[in-house]
Amino acid sequence: TGRRINFTRDLNEEGIFIRSRELLEPETPIKLTLMPPDTRHRPCQLAGKVSRLVEDREDRGMGIRLLFDRDSERNSYEAFVEALERDFLAGTLPDDALG
């Protein structure tokens, strides 16, 4: 219902885990803007549904299953994830993106 700033270090082609103090109910639709850790990649506009909740104090958050209307959206997001993985393996991600 409003702007929130949360963080993730766990994403793949199917979904994202978002750390958050406020948890939404499972199956809640959600829209996300994924901001990359550097300026080489553009932000991604994503949509999904809450698929799981983690209520541990240290790792509190939600798993989001991503939904794509078109294959081109999915392909663009998958390319984004692959580029981040290459940067991670090459050691070229900014240090603050890994902490």
Side-chain angles (χ1 to χ4, degrees):
T1 60
R3 184 171 186 252
R4 301 223 180 1
I5 297 174
N6 297 305
F7 298 92
T8 185
R9 287 185 53 209
D10 185 4
L11 60 122
N12 62 41
E13 289 83 3
E14 300 297 319
I16 298 174
F17 182 79
I18 298 174
R19 291 180 178 226
S20 179
R21 282 186 266 173
E22 296 179 48
L23 302 178
L24 302 173
E25 292 294 319
E27 297 301 313
T28 300
I30 187 168
K31 291 184 180 181
L32 308 165
T33 301
L34 182 61
M35 301 296 290
D38 59 32
T39 58
R40 291 178 290 166
H41 307 288
R42 295 175 36 189
C44 288
Q45 303 296 322
L46 302 168
K49 286 189 177 184
V50 176
S51 61
R52 69 181 178 101
L53 303 177
V54 174
E55 298 187 48
D56 288 346
R57 187 170 278 156
E58 292 180 24
D59 200 29
R60 186 176 178 87
M62 302 172 283
I64 308 297
R65 180 175 33 92
L66 297 175
L67 305 171
F68 299 96
D69 290 333
R70 294 183 296 274
D71 286 342
S72 61
E73 292 174 348
R74 177 179 296 280
N75 294 340
S76 177
Y77 175 72
E78 287 176 356
F80 173 80
V81 171
E82 288 171 8
L84 286 177
E85 183 176 25
R86 278 193 307 273
D87 290 349
F88 172 75
L89 294 173
T92 59
L93 282 179
D95 288 341
D96 60 348
L98 302 173

